[in-house]
Amino acid sequence: MKDARIDRRLFLRGIGGVTAGAAAATALSACGTGTSRVSSGSGKGGSRTVVVRDSGGSYGAALQKAIYTPFTQETGIQVKVLNLDNAPLLAQIKQGRPQCDLINDSMMSFAKYAAEGALESLDRDRLKSVESAKIPEAQTTDHAIGHSFYGQCIAYRTDAFGGRKPESWADFWDTKGFKGGRAMCSPDGDLPELEFALLADGVPMDKLYPLDVDRAFKVLTRLRGDIKKFWDSGPVPGVLLSRQEVTMSTVWDGRIADLQKQGVPVERQLNGIRRQFSAYAIAKGAANVDNAYRLMDFSLRAESQANLAKAFPSNPSSPLAYARLTEDERNALAGAPKYYDKGFDADVDWWLKNESAVTKRWLE
């Protein structure tokens, strides 16, 4: 699976290096879908296409099944897909030649896009599903609407601790009571995991932000000798757990079901899960703005979000979507009502201001 979290190295460098990215964007203009602004039309005079950027892989296949194909069947509008990293896409937009209309990415990425003037301001009157699906106001901005979240949580081997189950991040740090190696995420894979260190040290979940960076790094240092691997892509924790190289790892929650289907004795612990939302936004200067609005509105429906969750371990932003799932389907998701209060939302504003400094310190 290639996730929405694929662009961290490029984006950390790319926002400050759009000029350098322009050459890459030009080179990539013949890649992806093979579409161009000339062929896709103005979007105002009856164009029957829309180009959407997503991250591909099994997630892209699920989007095709649950969203794009039904949308085309309902509207007659053909959906063309572009898989392109953030830096070259941003460079295209800055040049006034975006290759896509609708972008599916993280809220944090969109905050960076918006700061560069790279997104259209959204007309909420054209997005009826925001209200009908009861998408929380916290997951809407002037430029993006959240459709789902992914979470980082604990994955552990169920055969490692004599029947005991880790219940918290304090247990993740307790290598005497819960023996074995650990794995955590590197900044190349996702945001540094400072919140987990603070939770392990007794900071209440609702008092995390602003993060006490010095305290977090002190707690991280205590575990440093037990970290066998800092992972930078989604499959790595599963590989480490499968090979018994570690007994616990941080993980993107959607990965657990895949491991269990493979017969790996693993379980997740959702206490203290960190949620980050993915969203839709429209590229500034998009060729097919009208169709981008229509696809976004279709995708945000509670029914559409539920259909995607059936095809992929996606946690809908619409609370109404969960009622459209079976009990088993619902409870497999970290976003299910019974689990939601166990976690917290990453503070995007705090991380936007502090990510570079924290990452630099982490690398040092």
Side-chain angles (χ1 to χ4, degrees):
M1 178 176 69
K2 191 179 182 188
D3 297 271
R5 293 85 74 178
I6 59 175
D7 300 331
R8 296 196 53 73
R9 278 171 286 191
L10 281 171
F11 222 172
L12 285 172
R13 301 167 186 165
I15 289 294
V18 172
T19 301
T26 301
L28 284 163
S29 63
C31 300
T33 62
T35 61
S36 70
R37 289 178 60 82
V38 174
S39 64
S40 60
S42 68
K44 298 178 181 178
S47 170
R48 306 305 291 168
T49 63
V50 60
V51 183
V52 58
R53 180 270 180 198
D54 67 41
S55 54
S58 57
Y59 179 54
L63 285 166
Q64 185 67 57
K65 176 182 178 181
I67 306 293
Y68 305 154
T69 297
F71 173 76
T72 298
Q73 291 171 343
E74 179 175 303
T75 66
I77 297 170
Q78 297 295 319
V79 179
K80 299 184 179 182
V81 179
L82 178 71
N83 304 140
L84 190 63
D85 290 341
N86 277 314
L89 179 54
L90 180 62
Q92 290 180 0
I93 297 172
K94 297 290 282 186
Q95 290 177 328
R97 300 174 57 212
Q99 221 181 326
C100 69
D101 307 302
L102 187 65
I103 309 172
N104 184 348
D105 210 322
S106 71
M107 276 289 199
M108 187 148 180
S109 291
F110 286 140
K112 298 175 182 180
Y113 273 91
E116 293 289 317
L119 300 176
E120 296 282 346
S121 294
L122 293 176
D123 180 355
R124 291 283 286 273
D125 290 338
R126 303 177 72 176
L127 296 168
K128 305 299 184 185
S129 294
V130 174
E131 182 175 348
S132 65
K134 297 190 182 303
I135 294 173
E137 193 63 31
Q139 305 311 326
T140 68
T141 71
D142 291 340
H143 300 90
I145 307 292
H147 59 75
S148 63
F149 75 82
Y150 71 92
Q152 262 169 289
C153 62
I154 296 170
Y156 63 94
R157 287 192 64 96
T158 57
D159 59 355
F161 311 121
R164 296 180 65 204
K165 299 178 181 180
E167 299 290 342
S168 67
W169 288 106
D171 290 341
F172 189 90
W173 256 256
D174 181 8
T175 55
K176 292 182 179 179
F178 294 90
K179 297 184 183 298
R182 304 291 195 261
M184 295 186 74
C185 188
S186 82
D188 285 339
D190 210 327
L191 296 174
E193 297 169 327
L194 270 60
E195 293 96 334
F196 304 152
L198 293 172
L199 290 171
D201 205 40
V203 177
M205 198 162 57
D206 61 350
K207 304 292 185 185
L208 281 170
Y209 299 101
L211 299 182
D212 185 335
V213 176
D214 290 338
R215 181 176 177 180
F217 272 101
K218 186 178 295 185
V219 179
L220 285 167
T221 299
R222 293 207 309 258
L223 195 62
R224 180 66 182 90
D226 296 291
I227 303 295
K228 304 304 180 185
K229 176 75 174 178
F230 287 102
W231 56 272
D232 60 2
S233 65
V236 176
V239 171
L240 298 172
L241 288 162
S242 298
R243 294 176 178 173
Q244 301 188 55
E245 294 181 33
V246 300
T247 58
M248 274 197 257
S249 177
T250 59
V251 68
W252 292 327
D253 71 280
R255 294 283 179 174
I256 298 299
D258 290 340
L259 293 174
Q260 292 171 332
K261 289 176 183 177
Q262 296 166 22
V264 181
V266 294
E267 189 54 79
R268 65 185 180 183
Q269 174 52 256
L270 295 177
N271 286 332
I273 185 173
R274 181 176 69 183
R275 296 185 290 258
Q276 296 186 66
F277 277 79
S278 297
Y280 287 110
I282 298 175
K284 189 74 172 180
N288 299 292
V289 172
D290 291 345
N291 294 343
Y293 269 108
R294 293 184 69 179
L295 179 54
M296 186 190 298
D297 195 45
F298 182 92
S299 301
L300 293 172
R301 294 176 185 174
E303 178 183 3
S304 298
Q305 291 191 36
N307 288 339
L308 180 58
K310 292 177 181 180
F312 186 85
S314 169
N315 298 289
S317 63
S318 168
L320 303 184
Y322 294 92
R324 295 175 173 270
L325 303 174
T326 67
E327 184 176 0
D328 287 345
E329 290 170 339
R330 182 166 55 250
N331 291 338
L333 301 176
K338 65 183 291 185
Y339 303 131
Y340 204 80
D341 290 342
K342 293 178 179 289
F344 63 94
D345 295 345
D347 187 324
V348 172
D349 290 337
W350 189 91
W351 275 109
L352 283 171
K353 294 173 184 174
N354 295 281
E355 182 181 8
S356 294
V358 168
T359 298
K360 182 175 184 294
R361 182 168 174 177
W362 193 98
L363 292 170
E364 290 171 348

